[in-house]
Amino acid sequence: MAHFEYDFTIDEDFYEKAIIEHLCDNQDYVHLYGPDVARSTEEYRDVFLFDILSSALERINRHLSRAAVDEAILKIGNVEGGTLAQRNEVFNDYLQSGVEVRYFDGKEERDDIVYLIDFDDPENNDFHVVNQWTFVEYSEKRPDVIIFVNGMPLVMFELKSPSREEVDASDAYLQLRAYMQHIPSLFVPNVFCVMSDMSSTKVGTITADEDRYVAWKSVDGDYSNTKAADWKTMLDGMMPKARLLDIIKNFVCFNNPSEKAVKILAAYHQYFGVRKAVERAESAVAGDGKIGVFWHTQGSGKSLSMVFFAHLLQQHLDSPTLVVITDRNDLDDQLYGQFSRCGAFLRQDPVQAENREHLKTLLVGREANGIIFTTMQKFTDGDEPLCDRSNVVVMVDEAHRGQYGLTEKMDADGNVSIGAARVVRKALPNASYIGFTGTPVSLDDRNTREIFGDYIDVYDMTQSVEDESTKPVFYESRVVALNLDQDALGRLDAVYSEFARDADAASVEKAKRDTGGLDAIFGAPETIDSLCRDIVTHYEENRADVLAGKALIVAYSRPMAMKIYYRILELRPGWKDKVGVVMTMSNQDPEEWFEVCGGTTHKKEMERKFKDDSNPLKIAIVVDMWLTGFDVPSLSTMYVFKPMKGYNLMQAIARVNRVCKDKEGGLVVDYIGIARALKQAMKDYTNRDQSNYGDMDVAATAYPKFLEKLDVCRDLMYGYDYQKLIFSKSNSQIASAISEGVDWLLDPARCDDMEDFIKQCQLMNQALSLCKSLVSDDDQHEAAYLSVLRVQLLRLTGRNGSGGGGMTYAEFNNRVTAILEQTVHSDGVIDLFEKDSVEISLFDESFLREIANMKQKNVAVESLKRLIKERVKAYQRTSVVKAQKFSEMLQGTLNAYLNGMLTNAQVIEELVEMANDIMKDRTEAEALGLTEEEMAFYDAITKPAAVKDFYDNDQLVAISRELTAAMQANATIDWQKKESARAGMRRAIKRLLRKYKYPPEGVDDAMGTVMAQCELWADTKVR
């Protein structure tokens, strides 16, 4: 058990101790305090706890000689070459598979494998939680908490204070990224990182962007109470010894596309879902072969779950052969590509069957192992059994398709069709079956249950959005924009109603034929013209600036796709590089189509461009391709001009639900009337999905929310009449409305209203991003004005960083431009926030005069307060005396202001005087010929007023310089954590000061100030 003395301050140190205590008391880890651990060198460059590593590897590999263990330690300590991610991938393989070594055993050279972890017996490993572990590489850093397993640093925690408003978990992420630059070698063995401020705890790998760090919300696979998950849920869900080792071995892999290595850590729903699936598989192989249906909603990582399942299954079954079935070639290619990129993790390369004969060869030519990809169609090319082994597991992607049935059917013309599942069962009579799906199995779909069995694990849309694994999808109808007459609209609605309602094949075919009769209407030049004009206008005015501006247009047919393409280019000739077409081609297609769609490499090149946010290709026109299994995180808009229903529709619209930084949700813009089909498709979802997403229409969801929040913001601004000003034609008046509105909200009497305004305005902006096309020009104009106020407030109060929810300066200018069509720098709205402007502004007398004379006194107060706070913060890192002096001055002035003892004019005067005092301190250092460091020591030794009665100024300057030099000479790493180093530093300083007979007799508090300055210097300089 870890024991600490608490001072009951709820800060980062407190949180660090709480985590250590929890791991020691609940998970039986052993605590080590970093500065007390004996290091192999004084340079602090040792990545491992060498003594622990050495004894652990000897214990785990008892059958091997010491020479083998030494060779393994040498090898893992020298993973060279390539990027950090590439070095980490090598080490990850060592962790999961052991280290291949060649060594001399005293008689001969031998080859063997040294295992770094005993996965079979977790208690045969050493688990340590170490805090304040100093490491030196390009600079010296000291991470908060590191989990060492067998002496290897495998998990790093970066913590932020639960009680400091100005920092949060996002700051922890930035700190981790900085560590990877400064001390990369400590991350070579890293499995995953944790960032937490107690209220938010997320985990991710060294290659993960911040939005890919996720919360671990379950301890045991129960998803019913994930909203209550906290930091202890993560510790108890991931850090029990056996669980951590299971994650390391089976749920971490590298997904290696051509561009860069991406390290994947399973999310909690993937971990528990796959574990349940493997348990079911063990029973099914020995029983009826029905493993079950694995339903994890689209976008939540189903393909990777299939990879984790395939990997883990190989350890729990006797060398199984896995057959992965899709129902389309492009899906087969996508899933095969995913498995291929994880080939090292799977320990074998997957193979694609070219035809039925090749499939048979792949199955018959082996008795075990293998991962074989095939399409459903390859089973229908014959009826003889392909393999009768029972160690075959069939993984079916999108397992709810109607064609997977077991029965024979006959249509009205007497044509007989046999369910594909029956064909597969005949070909693989003794196999076991598991279905993976991103949409639910229909309640009346008996076929799917008959083939696969019941659900294994359900991770629905509501849970996925709550976990930020996906984003919500919204819907906007623009059918009327096509200018169709009422008769055509009525026919469309009737036909589509039947198409959406009926499930049997004959009815669907009839509906398709009836809908096909509408080709003349939808393909008419005037309809295509209306469609393209509306898409272009809607895109330019509402969606072009959302994230990377990526959008899909889903066309009714291939000829329709080409018509749309040609008409858009007629309307926007400059969009040649912005718009493209992706669809299958045949030899009978018109020659000019090939000029647009290219040959066999066109699709891959288009995919590369579309996935690149910086590429000019922004709009892709598709028919069937890219509607399933295609992931572009920044894609946020889909224009639908094609009848779709059920799982096909839900899979298609899920292209816009991927997680991306600053993405509020995806928008589906409907030109063909899919609303009824959407509602019908939702009937098979969970009750809470139906409740939350049964109505995705922005007109019924986002737009009312926008209006509500706009009204709330208006109410919070009650008392300041901005309406006349912002709707004037005068830029000067609008600029005045901005500066005066900010000033009005900054009044101390409106402190609570200002905080509420900031929150409510952000909610208004989120809704507006989804329903902008429905919002009137006046409301958009007013919302843009209110948004500028919000951003100004965030920047003036210093909350524009990651924790404050503010925008970048470019985003701020865009908001202002939406109103003024120019950046606002007039009528007293001063730009305080350009990079590096804070210090320059504070030491610029003309700038101070400009602020002091501003008409908007509350803005002036907030501006000066922020600038002085920034300077005080700098002093807190350099000078004990000045930090205390100016901090107390600032706090006293502000308290008097807030308590009504000073008017805003008086507080401005005092703050300007304080800024002048800070300027004087800088010039005084220059006059004395002292550096900033030396001046800090000068302030410390001269703080007691009586000191100057005993020494002349030259002596005080000399003492200051010698103190600085002595500190530089005596600074040792970890001095402030090791009492011996601290004592040595104190002795050296006292010897130096005795030479000058300092402190003088009777000045009792002088030495305490000097020592405090020495400790501050070492804290900031040595660390």
Side-chain angles (χ1 to χ4, degrees):
M1 177 176 174
H3 291 281
F4 302 101
E5 292 183 8
Y6 290 109
D7 60 7
F8 295 104
T9 301
I10 310 299
D11 57 9
E12 186 178 318
D13 185 56
F14 168 88
Y15 187 29
E16 180 181 299
K17 290 171 180 174
I19 284 176
I20 294 168
E21 188 175 280
H22 191 88
L23 288 171
C24 293
D25 292 352
N26 294 274
Q27 310 300 346
D28 201 27
Y29 282 58
V30 175
H31 171 232
L32 297 175
Y33 181 51
D36 292 342
V37 176
R39 308 293 285 263
S40 60
T41 67
E42 284 300 313
E43 286 77 32
Y44 290 76
R45 294 177 182 272
D46 37 1
V47 173
F48 307 116
L49 301 171
F50 277 105
D51 290 344
I52 294 169
L53 174 66
S54 179
S55 63
L57 296 195
E58 274 197 296
R59 184 174 67 249
I60 293 168
N61 301 275
R62 293 184 185 280
H63 60 291
L64 297 179
S65 70
R66 180 70 217 183
V69 170
D70 288 342
E71 178 64 23
I73 292 174
L74 183 65
K75 199 168 180 179
I76 66 173
N78 293 278
V79 180
E80 298 294 339
T83 63
L84 172 58
Q86 289 168 330
R87 294 165 68 197
N88 184 266
E89 183 174 11
V90 172
F91 204 100
N92 190 68
D93 185 60
Y94 290 159
L95 288 174
Q96 292 177 339
S97 305
V99 184
E100 294 182 2
V101 295
R102 186 173 183 81
Y103 63 97
F104 185 68
D105 68 354
K107 297 180 181 177
E108 59 181 351
E109 289 285 327
R110 298 193 55 166
D111 295 307
D112 222 314
I113 295 177
V114 175
Y115 292 99
L116 303 182
I117 294 175
D118 187 342
F119 291 108
D120 296 326
D121 181 7
E123 293 301 327
N124 195 32
N125 301 281
D126 295 312
F127 293 80
H128 291 90
V129 52
V130 182
N131 63 321
Q132 301 300 320
W133 178 258
T134 299
F135 188 77
V136 178
E137 194 164 0
Y138 298 118
S139 61
E140 181 194 333
K141 298 296 176 184
R142 189 176 299 110
D144 294 324
V145 176
I146 303 176
I147 302 301
F148 284 80
V149 179
N150 295 336
M152 299 174 289
L154 302 189
V155 181
M156 183 179 291
F157 287 73
E158 182 58 28
L159 311 174
K160 293 301 171 186
S161 171
S163 60
R164 287 179 61 195
E165 289 184 18
E166 67 272 23
V167 297
D168 61 9
S170 291
D171 295 282
Y173 173 79
L174 295 175
Q175 185 73 64
L176 287 167
R177 298 306 303 178
Y179 285 160
M180 291 176 208
Q181 298 296 320
H182 290 275
I183 48 172
S185 293
L186 195 61
F187 287 86
V188 172
N190 183 266
V191 177
F192 61 87
C193 300
V194 185
M195 59 184 198
S196 179
D197 61 358
M198 191 174 273
S199 65
S200 173
T201 302
K202 296 184 177 182
V203 296
T205 69
I206 62 165
T207 66
D209 294 331
E210 185 181 352
D211 58 343
R212 291 294 174 186
Y213 271 66
V214 297
W216 189 280
K217 292 189 171 185
S218 178
V219 172
D220 55 7
D222 180 0
Y223 309 157
S224 62
N225 197 29
T226 55
K227 286 186 177 180
D230 61 8
W231 60 280
K232 286 186 280 191
T233 307
M234 177 265 149
L235 293 180
D236 294 337
M238 296 188 80
M239 303 311 293
K241 295 177 180 178
R243 176 72 54 78
L244 178 60
L245 298 191
D246 189 20
I247 291 171
I248 292 170
K249 182 174 177 61
N250 299 310
F251 292 92
V252 176
C253 70
F254 274 81
N255 181 35
N256 287 322
S258 55
E259 313 89 70
K260 63 175 183 177
V262 177
K263 188 175 185 180
I264 304 293
L265 168 69
Y268 78 93
H269 64 276
Q270 293 172 311
Y271 175 85
F272 290 115
V274 168
R275 269 282 162 203
K276 294 173 191 176
V278 169
E279 190 176 315
R280 284 270 200 99
E282 289 181 287
S283 301
V285 169
D288 61 4
K290 296 179 183 179
I291 300 172
V293 176
F294 189 101
W295 169 23
H296 282 194
T297 199
Q298 304 104 315
S300 60
K302 175 168 58 72
S303 297
L304 281 165
S305 293
M306 295 174 76
V307 170
F308 290 128
F309 174 77
H311 168 84
L312 191 57
L313 197 65
Q314 294 173 72
Q315 299 173 47
H316 286 258
L317 296 182
D318 183 18
S319 304
T321 297
L322 305 179
V323 179
V324 185
I325 300 178
T326 63
D327 70 338
R328 290 218 315 267
N329 287 329
D330 59 328
L331 297 181
D332 187 57
D333 289 341
Q334 289 167 4
L335 198 53
Y336 170 74
Q338 178 67 79
F339 272 65
S340 296
R341 292 191 297 272
C342 299
F345 175 65
L346 293 167
R347 304 295 163 204
Q348 53 186 312
D349 293 321
V351 182
Q352 273 181 303
E354 297 169 6
N355 49 47
R356 185 182 175 88
E357 281 305 311
H358 187 214
L359 176 60
K360 182 175 182 178
T361 301
L362 292 172
L363 287 166
V364 173
R366 71 179 73 237
E367 287 299 317
N369 297 320
I371 302 174
I372 302 164
F373 278 77
T374 181
T375 56
M376 188 67 76
Q377 290 75 11
K378 293 182 177 68
F379 285 94
T380 63
D381 295 339
D383 56 6
E384 79 281 3
L386 297 177
C387 173
D388 62 1
R389 285 187 287 117
S390 61
N391 65 339
V392 174
V393 174
V394 178
M395 301 167 59
V396 180
D397 188 31
E398 298 309 339
H400 50 271
R401 307 272 203 215
Q403 67 265 35
Y404 292 170
L406 288 166
T407 59
E408 288 187 8
K409 291 186 179 179
M410 183 179 295
D411 63 19
D413 299 323
N415 299 312
V416 176
S417 63
I418 301 174
R422 182 172 165 185
V423 176
V424 175
R425 277 286 170 89
K426 193 172 181 181
L428 303 171
N430 298 316
S432 296
Y433 293 80
I434 180 171
F436 289 84
T437 180
T439 54
V441 176
S442 172
L443 294 174
D444 56 3
D445 182 0
R446 294 186 302 275
N447 286 331
T448 301
R449 287 182 173 77
E450 196 172 347
I451 299 159
F452 300 106
D454 292 324
Y455 283 128
I456 298 167
D457 195 56
V458 173
Y459 186 69
D460 63 16
M461 194 187 305
T462 298
Q463 189 69 53
S464 181
V465 171
E466 181 187 306
D467 292 347
E468 299 180 340
S469 297
T470 58
K471 290 293 183 180
V473 176
F474 297 88
Y475 160 94
E476 177 183 352
S477 176
R478 297 188 69 82
V479 176
V480 293
L482 299 185
N483 298 317
L484 300 176
D485 59 42
Q486 289 302 312
D487 179 58
L489 284 171
R491 289 167 58 199
L492 170 65
D493 190 59
V495 169
Y496 208 95
S497 175
E498 183 178 357
F499 180 75
R501 184 179 63 248
D502 295 318
D504 63 279
S507 296
V508 170
E509 286 305 312
K510 178 180 182 298
K512 284 182 179 178
R513 287 196 296 271
D514 290 345
T515 309
L518 296 172
D519 277 351
I521 296 173
F522 290 126
E526 55 268 29
T527 306
I528 295 296
D529 179 65
S530 296
L531 172 75
C532 293
R533 284 181 184 277
D534 196 71
I535 288 176
V536 166
T537 301
H538 187 279
Y539 177 81
E540 287 180 328
E541 294 183 357
N542 306 295
R543 308 304 293 174
D545 295 328
V546 176
L547 302 176
K550 301 287 183 177
L552 286 183
I553 300 174
V554 186
Y556 183 63
S557 63
R558 295 191 313 124
M560 204 74 72
M562 298 307 299
K563 287 181 181 180
I564 292 170
Y565 174 76
Y566 290 130
R567 184 59 187 138
I568 286 178
L569 286 188
E570 287 173 1
L571 294 169
R572 295 292 184 273
W575 282 19
K576 185 79 173 173
D577 293 329
K578 181 176 277 190
V579 183
V581 181
V582 180
M583 64 185 193
T584 53
M585 300 290 289
S586 74
N587 294 330
Q588 287 73 45
D589 289 333
E591 189 173 329
E592 61 268 23
W593 287 16
F594 284 90
E595 295 175 10
V596 177
C597 295
T600 55
T601 59
H602 172 77
K603 182 193 162 195
K604 287 187 177 179
E605 180 62 11
M606 290 287 284
E607 187 172 324
R608 182 191 66 77
K609 290 180 178 179
F610 201 70
K611 288 184 174 183
D612 179 359
D613 285 352
S614 62
N615 193 278
L617 177 64
K618 300 298 182 185
I619 303 171
I621 303 167
V622 301
V623 181
D624 292 308
M625 286 186 170
W626 290 8
L627 295 185
T628 53
F630 181 69
D631 291 348
V632 177
S634 63
L635 175 61
S636 60
T637 313
M638 175 181 283
Y639 296 100
V640 177
F641 192 58
K642 175 184 180 177
M644 291 181 284
K645 66 183 284 283
Y647 52 79
N648 285 326
L649 174 60
M650 299 307 290
Q651 285 178 324
I653 68 173
R655 296 316 100 205
V656 295
N657 80 343
R658 297 328 192 236
V659 172
C660 184
K661 191 174 187 291
D662 299 326
K663 187 175 185 177
E664 298 300 336
L667 181 65
V668 174
V669 184
D670 170 28
Y671 289 97
I672 207 161
I674 60 172
R676 185 179 280 106
L678 272 172
K679 290 181 179 178
Q680 184 73 23
M682 285 301 302
K683 287 184 178 178
D684 293 320
Y685 279 71
T686 62
N687 289 334
R688 61 181 187 164
D689 276 357
Q690 293 179 49
S691 172
N692 292 331
Y693 302 106
D695 190 352
M696 305 177 194
D697 190 348
V698 288
T701 53
Y703 182 56
K705 179 64 71 175
F706 164 77
L707 293 177
E708 174 197 334
K709 296 305 177 184
L710 177 60
D711 274 341
V712 171
C713 290
R714 286 170 178 157
D715 289 344
L716 290 167
M717 292 293 292
Y718 180 76
Y720 174 65
D721 186 8
Y722 59 84
Q723 296 277 349
K724 290 180 182 177
L725 290 173
I726 69 170
F727 289 109
S728 74
K729 299 296 182 183
S730 165
N731 283 352
S732 177
Q733 287 193 28
I734 298 172
S736 293
I738 294 172
S739 55
E740 289 169 9
V742 172
D743 190 66
W744 191 84
L745 283 164
L746 281 170
D747 190 315
R750 299 187 186 92
C751 180
D752 291 341
D753 283 351
M754 184 192 76
E755 293 296 334
D756 203 13
F757 176 85
I758 289 171
K759 294 174 186 174
Q760 297 298 324
C761 191
Q762 175 68 353
L763 294 172
M764 178 193 73
N765 287 334
Q766 291 170 348
L768 179 62
S769 72
L770 295 164
C771 66
K772 194 175 178 183
S773 65
L774 305 180
V775 177
S776 69
D777 290 343
D778 283 356
D779 283 352
Q780 285 194 50
H781 187 80
E782 185 175 358
Y785 165 74
L786 296 170
S787 296
V788 173
L789 299 190
R790 174 180 176 273
V791 176
Q792 285 274 39
L793 290 169
L794 288 171
R795 293 188 174 281
L796 280 164
T797 56
R799 288 180 291 174
N800 54 300
S802 56
M807 300 179 181
T808 64
Y809 193 76
E811 290 170 324
F812 161 60
N813 272 348
N814 286 337
R815 288 288 189 190
V816 177
T817 302
I819 301 176
L820 301 182
E821 298 181 350
Q822 67 179 38
T823 308
V824 178
H825 287 290
S826 60
D827 266 17
V829 180
I830 301 171
D831 174 12
L832 305 175
F833 311 113
E834 290 284 14
K835 186 180 179 187
D836 300 328
S837 69
V838 170
E839 187 174 354
I840 294 167
S841 300
L842 187 61
F843 295 102
D844 182 340
E845 289 188 38
S846 63
F847 177 82
L848 290 176
R849 281 197 304 272
E850 189 175 356
I851 290 185
N853 294 328
M854 282 178 69
K855 176 183 171 186
Q856 295 78 26
K857 299 304 181 186
N858 293 319
V859 171
V861 171
E862 202 64 39
S863 303
L864 286 166
K865 181 175 77 175
R866 179 180 171 189
L867 293 173
I868 293 172
K869 270 188 173 180
E870 289 287 340
R871 190 60 200 164
V872 169
K873 197 182 295 183
Y875 281 143
Q876 287 169 345
R877 295 190 294 271
T878 58
S879 173
V880 165
V881 175
K882 283 195 175 74
Q884 182 180 5
K885 171 185 172 182
F886 288 112
S887 179
E888 288 175 355
M889 286 174 65
L890 178 62
Q891 198 57 52
T893 301
L894 293 177
N895 286 343
Y897 173 52
L898 293 172
N899 292 327
M901 297 164 63
L902 294 175
T903 65
N904 52 19
Q906 290 170 326
V907 81
I908 288 171
E909 187 179 340
E910 292 208 9
L911 290 173
V912 170
E913 188 59 37
M914 205 180 304
N916 288 325
D917 285 346
I918 292 173
M919 277 194 277
K920 287 176 189 172
D921 281 326
R922 172 182 270 197
T923 55
E924 184 184 355
E926 293 171 357
L928 292 171
L930 296 175
T931 65
E932 188 176 358
E933 283 183 341
E934 291 166 343
M935 189 65 195
F937 284 105
Y938 180 90
D939 288 334
I941 63 175
T942 60
K943 184 183 179 187
V947 164
K948 291 191 177 181
D949 295 336
F950 294 89
Y951 307 93
D952 61 39
N953 209 51
D954 288 344
Q955 287 177 306
L956 294 171
V957 168
I959 296 172
S960 303
R961 287 178 174 152
E962 283 197 48
L963 260 178
T964 308
M967 286 300 299
Q968 291 169 341
N970 285 278
T972 59
I973 294 171
D974 265 352
W975 78 272
Q976 69 270 55
K977 299 295 180 182
K978 289 184 176 178
E979 191 52 46
S980 59
R982 292 168 69 89
M985 183 272 292
R986 289 193 191 100
R987 286 194 298 272
I989 298 305
K990 286 179 179 177
R991 276 197 304 271
L992 184 153
L993 294 175
R994 270 200 300 272
K995 184 174 74 171
Y996 289 95
K997 298 180 180 179
Y998 186 97
E1001 191 174 339
V1003 187
D1004 299 328
D1005 59 339
M1007 185 59 76
T1009 304
V1010 174
M1011 284 300 175
Q1013 177 60 38
C1014 291
E1015 292 186 4
L1016 176 64
W1017 183 94
D1019 275 334
T1020 54
K1021 296 296 180 183
V1022 179
R1023 185 171 182 169

